[in-house]
Amino acid sequence: MLPDPNGCLAPAGAFSPDERAAVYRAIETRRDVRDEFLPEPLPEPLIARLLEAAHRAPSVGFMQPWNFVLVRRSETRERIWQAFRRANEEAAGMFSGEAQAKYRSLKLEGIRKAPLSICVTCDRTRGGAVVLGRTHNQQMDVYSTVCAVQNLWLAARAEGVGVGWVSIFHENEIKEILGIPGHIEIVAWLCLGYVDRLYQQPELAVKGWRQRLPLEDLVFDEGWGAQDGRVPTAQSERVTHSAAADNAIREGS
């Protein structure tokens, strides 16, 4: 055991089987919710827990570059939706034929339907000009903010709250609506609300947009492109748990 003269260390070790299963269940059953939000408002203590989870994310140089702009008013969300609608029409025009028709068929109503939106931003000046760990990769602050988004998303899944990540907008329009300073970067617009059903698989897979890539095609050994066929597989208890998680989704839990 490492010496700990200042009492700063805590015991480390694996979670109990039930705790471990809960973590994996949140990861496996997390979904990007686009249209299935219920109108019921989220309680303030719940919102506080989700924000605390986001704030516990790892950040390079411990710079904690994130801010969270909470948007509840329907008038503000309507202005944001109008900005999204304009950008979405531009996006639809980038596809053609069957792909465009399929794109237009997707219901993207989270901004209007979800009772809460959170604009997650990154302050790239926080921590000063030279930040530990960002000296050779200036994107590490943005990557850190994405970790905060993922923390919030997984905590929301555990709380029975759906999350939808909206990325189709012109950043300057959102900044103008919310009064966000020019040097702040918008990383995510998240729609949050209760849901009583989730897709068993990602919605874009269910609707034929793309399918999950085989993990074995994405794992290399000791160098790019090198594969020796020894991709690790999950233990049997994980496979059993995954099936239980799918059953839980079908039952609406």
Side-chain angles (χ1 to χ4, degrees):
M1 181 177 295
L2 291 173
D4 185 20
N6 298 317
C8 295
L9 300 177
F15 290 1
S16 71
D18 286 345
E19 291 170 333
R20 191 167 67 246
V23 172
Y24 282 112
R25 181 185 176 196
I27 294 170
E28 292 168 358
T29 63
R30 180 212 56 80
R31 295 290 177 263
D32 189 9
V33 179
R34 291 172 169 80
D35 187 55
E36 295 78 29
F37 293 104
L38 303 176
E40 180 184 351
L42 300 179
E44 292 301 315
L46 169 56
I47 296 172
R49 291 196 297 272
L50 299 181
L51 293 174
E52 183 65 30
H55 190 45
R56 294 281 179 172
S59 63
V60 170
F62 202 40
M63 67 182 300
Q64 304 158 77
W66 42 71
N67 282 88
F68 308 97
V69 183
L70 308 187
V71 179
R72 299 181 179 87
R73 294 178 55 190
S74 59
E75 298 88 345
T76 306
R77 288 189 283 115
E78 180 63 22
R79 293 180 66 190
I80 297 294
W81 186 85
Q82 292 296 339
F84 158 78
R85 181 186 59 79
R86 290 188 290 271
N88 195 48
E89 280 301 309
E90 296 171 1
M94 297 177 188
F95 299 97
S96 60
E98 182 179 346
Q100 184 179 110
K102 189 169 292 185
Y103 181 91
R104 291 186 181 278
S105 71
L106 297 174
K107 293 184 178 181
L108 305 172
E109 291 295 321
I111 295 173
R112 280 177 156 173
K113 293 184 71 172
L116 173 67
S117 287
I118 302 178
C119 183
V120 184
T121 65
C122 178
D123 183 349
R124 311 200 68 183
T125 67
R126 194 167 294 166
V130 180
V131 176
L132 187 155
R134 197 184 62 176
T135 54
H136 290 70
N137 186 340
Q138 293 295 303
Q139 297 300 313
M140 295 307 297
D141 48 6
V142 178
Y143 300 160
S144 298
T145 305
V146 173
C147 288
V149 172
Q150 181 76 338
N151 266 23
L152 186 151
W153 212 332
L154 293 176
R157 177 65 192 95
E159 297 275 8
V161 173
V163 177
W165 185 333
V166 178
S167 59
I168 304 170
F169 52 76
H170 292 290
E171 185 178 45
N172 62 313
E173 292 191 52
I174 308 303
K175 284 184 174 182
E176 181 178 352
I177 293 170
L178 299 183
I180 297 175
H183 72 281
I184 301 295
E185 184 169 331
I186 296 176
V187 172
W189 184 279
L190 303 178
C191 305
L192 287 84
Y194 284 122
V195 290
D196 59 5
R197 291 290 188 273
L198 290 171
Y199 282 96
Q200 295 184 47
Q201 299 296 326
E203 182 180 353
L204 293 184
V206 172
K207 295 186 175 179
W209 187 266
R210 280 184 69 93
Q211 299 303 311
R212 191 180 301 280
L213 299 173
L215 177 60
E216 56 268 26
D217 293 346
L218 308 176
V219 179
F220 301 146
D221 190 65
E222 302 292 345
W224 183 266
Q227 295 178 313
D228 63 4
R230 295 185 300 170
V231 177
T233 56
Q235 295 179 355
S236 58
E237 65 181 80
R238 286 274 294 102
V239 174
T240 301
H241 163 64
S242 181
D246 288 344
N247 288 335
I249 298 173
R250 283 192 290 270
E251 294 165 4
S253 62

